[in-house]
Amino acid sequence: MKDKLKGNLLVGQSGGPSAVINASLCGIIEEASKHSQIEQIYGMGYGIEGLLHKNLMINLTNLSPSVIKRLYHTPSSILGTCRYKLKEDEYEKVFDILKAHNIRYLFYIGGGDSMSTAHKIDELARGNGYPLRVMGVPKTIDNDLPLTDHSPGYGSAARFNAILTMETGLDGRAMQFPEPVKIIETMGRNTGWVTAAACLGKRKEEDAPHLIYVPERPFIVDKFLSDVENTYRRVGWVLVVACEGLKDTSGELIAADKRELNIDAFGHPELGGVGEYLTELVKDNLKIKARYDKPGTAQRASMTCVSKVDLEEAYLVGKVAVQQAVKGEDGYMVTLVRESTDEYKCSTGLAKLEEVAGKEKYLPDEFINDEANFVTDKYKQYALPLIGEPLPDYLFSFEELK
Amino acid sequence: MKDKLKGNLLVGQSGGPSAVINASLCGIIEEASKHSQIEQIYGMGYGIEGLLHKNLMINLTNLSPSVIKRLYHTPSSILGTCRYKLKEDEYEKVFDILKAHNIRYLFYIGGGDSMSTAHKIDELARGNGYPLRVMGVPKTIDNDLPLTDHSPGYGSAARFNAILTMETGLDGRAMQFPEPVKIIETMGRNTGWVTAAACLGKRKEEDAPHLIYVPERPFIVDKFLSDVENTYRRVGWVLVVACEGLKDTSGELIAADKRELNIDAFGHPELGGVGEYLTELVKDNLKIKARYDKPGTAQRASMTCVSKVDLEEAYLVGKVAVQQAVKGEDGYMVTLVRESTDEYKCSTGLAKLEEVAGKEKYLPDEFINDEANFVTDKYKQYALPLIGEPLPDYLFSFEELK
């Protein structure tokens, strides 16, 4: 066993917030307070960017139990977050701050880009012979981190979109005469995980959603229009769920705003506009009324639709990150390992930071149907345990009134 | 006391759905089943349009208690709805259908336009000497029906927007470096009731929302831009909530799609686009990143954020409509009468259908601040009792971590 490394702990939250990222913070704080080798617990204000530019350190060592309880149920990143890519000369500066505060445990809660930052700092500490235990704590509603069965944040975003689609579907069915086509634009950048979850409350063929489009397949306008028209003729109304990151056959985003102001620090263009674009396609080509919703932030911020499984797992990965670091592990991201789906059971594992840094995990082929306009039952089996308690037991049509 | 009128009951749902319109239907069904003078209970499929064009009558006489219970908790209009304005020659046809099915009690759950339809049918029945008791049951998330303190549906839409704004605010604060300006586009057509509710979870000056724009005041671009810029400088980030129906000083909608396909049967243009328009204004003029969310349908369909007060009152107005009609009243809409705000207490009243038909109730002047960029404490006092149980007790900033 390695030596007991004594010193302070620093934790940051990075990238887009989620409903459960504060639960991971609670797991870190509560576990850290049990280990005497961890002296002070600090939070970075606004991630690595706030640390670097504002030296924002928030002391979290003696939070009251009532504050921890409220924090557990508070969505979004309480510490503040960033999408900041450190420049080469800034790594040294961050390193100086860590040394100045005797930080020996560094935890970064985030997605692939955040894991890159954590990995880089870890390497630098090794290179400098500065003992520092760096651990990544996974967080992304996009569920695109590799080497983990799923990411904390995803279950709640999935539950949100499943319920949203059920409710929007009930509305769409009721309003089928005046507003036959509804499009929901969902988050997910390059992957269809969040979008796919829209199917989870669907019971019968005629229920919403009717069509799901994910970025793992090229978007073909003619196919989309014939999908919508066929559904409209068959069912009388159509609910489409489409990911913000849809690309055409040449790999170009079908509706991204690519002006300079809208490229983030990691080079990702700001997305959005797919719902409006598809709505116009339907109106112009099929001459039927179409509207779109863009729920946006709510997908990652809704505590009302939180998945209890997700909330507990988010806490767990924070706790395990501390346990592993205290034991002497360094340079890993905690992963979730599915032990069983029938009776859902999940444990944790570790993945090297360099193997998750900046990588993306796509929907596997077997989760997308052959027509590329819906997801498969295999996806449902994968995702249903992650969204927690059963979905609401709504009546879906007046045929059920008996 | 008038004669006991014996016959069948027909109930329709009309206009945009809400989270609690089915609770009104439950109130009607459960109360009607207690009165022997009401023989069969029928629902119109897809409102007056489905009745007229498809003769859709759904028998609701013997629903099982378990179905009624599920119906009470199912958002959106289970019977289907319409936005259909009857043509002169169609009123007679509707009338023939009512006679053919021995309908003696007619209940229409809806807003101002629906009340016009109910009023017209009522007048026609009188003119024809056909005994028919017509009652309007108020429903509109827009809260724009006159002569009632508020409308069932509003409390839940208000609660939804209050929570959405709290959660989007937490997200906005956390993401203030990469995404400083967020705009939420809300429903409400010509009135700011739904939009105003965004303020209900705000505790401190720096909390979201920072700016609220309602259609009761003209939208002035320069004033908006200086509002956003000042808030950005003062707080570091900005959350704006703006109603879809904003108009400029000449009364023109600032962002409506006025193509023929997008005008509904009552002549209302389809709205939407305000969020995108304001976002572009901010990006182009202030050169800071801005994004918008357009939650759309969820505002009227979310059962997860339902107000229990709203749910109970929606049931109540349905029940009272039947009680009054059975007693011999005819040609009224049931209203909600606030008895007390300190300890919230509400009873019911009646308003003549002709006095609510096609009318709109605006936010009173005292509910809007002088700068026309926020609402007042008087509005909060009015609205808080309507959203039911207390809002979530989130931590709002890392300053609260103690």
Side-chain angles (χ1 to χ4, degrees), chain B residues 84-224:
Chain B
Y84 191 79
K85 191 174 185 178
L86 287 170
K87 296 169 195 77
E88 280 305 316
D89 60 327
E90 289 174 335
Y91 275 99
E92 289 288 350
K93 211 179 146 189
V94 166
F95 197 53
D96 290 343
I97 297 171
L98 299 182
K99 282 197 277 192
H101 291 85
N102 192 33
I103 303 300
R104 299 294 173 174
Y105 294 88
L106 182 71
F107 294 77
Y108 215 37
I109 317 175
D113 291 330
S114 310
M115 294 306 140
S116 299
T117 301
H119 175 52
K120 194 79 190 279
I121 294 173
D122 191 42
E123 280 196 317
L124 207 70
R126 283 173 208 268
N128 279 269
Y130 176 78
L132 178 71
R133 304 227 176 113
V134 178
M135 294 294 282
V137 179
K139 176 281 321 169
T140 166
I141 70 155
D142 291 344
N143 204 36
D144 59 355
L145 277 165
L147 301 178
T148 181
D149 178 75
H150 56 281
S151 299
Y154 178 61
S156 298
R159 184 175 181 86
F160 177 91
N161 273 340
I163 293 176
L164 178 86
T165 308
M166 287 173 81
E167 295 181 335
T168 304
L170 285 169
D171 190 283
R173 184 194 147 279
M175 287 282 282
Q176 62 186 263
F177 285 175
E179 291 175 16
V181 178
K182 169 69 61 119
I183 289 153
I184 301 177
E185 175 183 320
T186 47
M187 287 179 159
R189 281 206 266 187
N190 300 317
T191 69
W193 293 102
V194 172
T195 307
C199 78
L200 296 174
K202 183 180 173 110
R203 293 170 201 159
K204 293 184 213 142
E205 181 60 24
E206 63 268 29
D207 293 344
H210 306 105
L211 298 164
I212 291 179
Y213 298 95
V214 296
E216 281 84 353
R217 295 286 182 274
F219 180 80
I220 297 155
V221 170
D222 288 347
K223 170 69 174 133
F224 165 74

Side-chain angles (χ1 to χ4, degrees), chain A residues 138 147-152 309 312-314 316-318 320-321 323-324 333-341 343-351 386:
Chain A
L147 301 178
T148 181
D149 178 75
H150 56 280
S151 298
V309 167
E312 284 165 16
E313 289 179 347
L316 177 69
V317 294
V320 168
Q323 288 169 343
Q324 294 291 343
M333 181 186 83
V334 178
T335 60
L336 289 165
V337 181
R338 188 182 302 224
E339 303 288 346
S340 151
T341 284
E343 193 182 346
Y344 178 70
K345 237 187 109 188
C346 201
S347 63
T348 61
L350 294 175
L386 310 181

Side-chain angles (χ1 to χ4, degrees), chain A residues 46 74 76 81 167 170-171 174 176 182 261 271 276 289 291-294 297 300 303 393 395, chain B residues 46 70 74 76 81 167 170-171 174 176 182 261 271 276 289 291-294 297 300 303 395:
Chain A
Y46 305 100
T74 292
S76 181
T81 178
E167 295 181 335
L170 284 169
D171 190 282
Q176 62 185 265
K182 169 69 61 123
L261 194 60
L271 305 183
E276 188 186 9
K289 258 205 184 182
R291 303 198 67 161
Y292 74 98
D293 290 342
K294 184 171 171 288
T297 308
R300 67 186 187 206
M303 185 53 72
D393 184 28
L395 290 169
Chain B
Y46 304 100
R70 285 174 67 201
T74 293
S76 180
T81 178
E167 295 181 335
L170 285 169
D171 190 283
Q176 62 186 263
K182 169 69 61 119
L261 193 61
L271 304 184
E276 188 186 7
K289 259 205 183 181
R291 304 199 66 162
Y292 75 97
D293 291 341
K294 184 174 170 285
T297 307
R300 66 185 188 207
M303 185 53 73
L395 290 170

